[in-house]
Amino acid sequence: MELKEYWKPDVKSRLTADPKPIQKPAAKRSKHPLQMLYRRVRSYFIINTLGILFTAALLFLFPITIVQVLLGFVILAQLWSAKRTFYLYQKIQNALSDEKTGMLHLLKQQLALILDFIKLEERLTIFVLPFALAGGFIAGGLSGSQKSVTEFFAEPTIQIGILVTLILFIPIFYFLTKWINRLLFGHHTESLKQMIQSLENHTETG
């Protein structure tokens, strides 16, 4: 057999052979700040809903009036947070699907949504954490000591312990929340502010 014939392609077999499936590259998660915020708000809403159910279950596990009052405040704050989160979630959905807005309006909308979410997390830390910490401290202390509420609070060490817990943990969690938000969205918010300022100045001079 000649070398030329040996390398001659089999056209018929190529036409009839099953084509190889084209492997599509794995879809990557979008790193667009608004998409990141969308996913985070969605996760935040789910976690918040589970937190409400968990806190409601604790009401039945600890039939202690003061603990139930504190947990009631926690549930109210969680419900308020869930409502605000869902409202923010809908606003982000609308922003992602809106393709007809101008550049300046779009940038301002992105900045407002991110700042709204940051403010929501910080408020939740301030208003929910004190009640949650105090309720947990009291529930754990009463369960372990087997004392009445009056006897439990009569001890100066308990009063000091609750105050120290609140004074220590609230600032820690608050500044931790601010640091995480700055890490995730700080650079983008600053860039948005600069672009908005630049566009507004251009509009005024134009």
Side-chain angles (χ1 to χ4, degrees):
M1 179 183 293
E2 294 183 4
L3 186 62
K4 189 176 180 180
E5 292 182 2
Y6 181 82
W7 287 106
K8 186 178 180 181
D10 189 349
V11 179
K12 186 178 180 181
S13 62
R14 287 189 180 184
L15 292 174
T16 55
D18 292 332
K20 292 182 179 180
I22 299 172
Q23 294 182 351
K24 295 182 180 179
K28 293 182 179 180
R29 272 191 163 190
S30 172
K31 292 186 178 180
H32 188 282
L34 211 55
Q35 286 283 359
M36 290 171 61
L37 183 65
Y38 178 77
R39 291 194 297 268
R40 191 174 177 192
V41 169
R42 182 176 57 191
S43 302
Y44 194 74
F45 179 77
I46 294 170
I47 292 170
N48 201 0
T49 304
L50 294 175
I52 293 170
L53 297 175
F54 177 74
T55 309
L58 291 178
L59 286 172
F60 298 97
L61 292 175
F62 295 98
I64 305 163
T65 304
I66 188 169
V67 175
Q68 290 181 331
V69 169
L70 291 170
L71 291 176
F73 279 113
V74 173
I75 290 175
L76 287 175
Q78 286 175 321
L79 288 170
W80 170 81
S81 174
K83 179 183 176 182
R84 290 290 303 165
T85 306
F86 185 70
Y87 173 69
L88 186 60
Y89 179 77
Q90 287 182 318
K91 285 178 70 175
I92 297 170
Q93 270 188 325
N94 294 335
L96 288 170
S97 60
D98 189 3
E99 299 176 353
K100 297 180 180 179
T101 54
M103 178 60 71
L104 183 59
H105 177 75
L106 184 64
L107 294 176
K108 285 183 175 181
Q109 192 177 42
Q110 278 195 42
L111 182 61
L113 289 170
I114 292 172
L115 294 179
D116 279 352
F117 180 70
I118 291 172
K119 192 182 296 182
L120 175 65
E121 283 196 323
E122 291 174 357
R123 284 178 179 175
L124 194 63
T125 303
I126 294 172
F127 292 114
V128 173
L129 195 61
F131 296 110
L133 287 174
F137 188 95
I138 295 167
L142 287 172
S143 300
S145 64
Q146 300 296 322
K147 294 180 180 179
S148 65
V149 176
T150 306
E151 292 173 337
F152 182 75
F153 278 102
E155 297 183 17
T157 53
I158 298 300
Q159 300 170 18
I160 294 170
I162 293 173
L163 287 174
V164 169
T165 301
L166 295 176
I167 291 169
L168 281 177
F169 281 96
I170 291 174
I172 289 172
F173 278 97
Y174 177 74
F175 287 109
L176 181 64
T177 302
K178 287 181 74 71
W179 178 77
I180 291 171
N181 284 326
R182 193 180 300 115
L183 188 67
L184 290 172
F185 301 109
H187 176 71
H188 184 66
T189 52
E190 289 303 316
S191 299
L192 283 173
K193 288 176 183 177
Q194 291 176 7
M195 285 189 285
I196 289 168
Q197 186 66 40
S198 177
L199 283 171
E200 286 178 339
N201 292 338
H202 179 72
T203 304
E204 289 174 2
T205 54

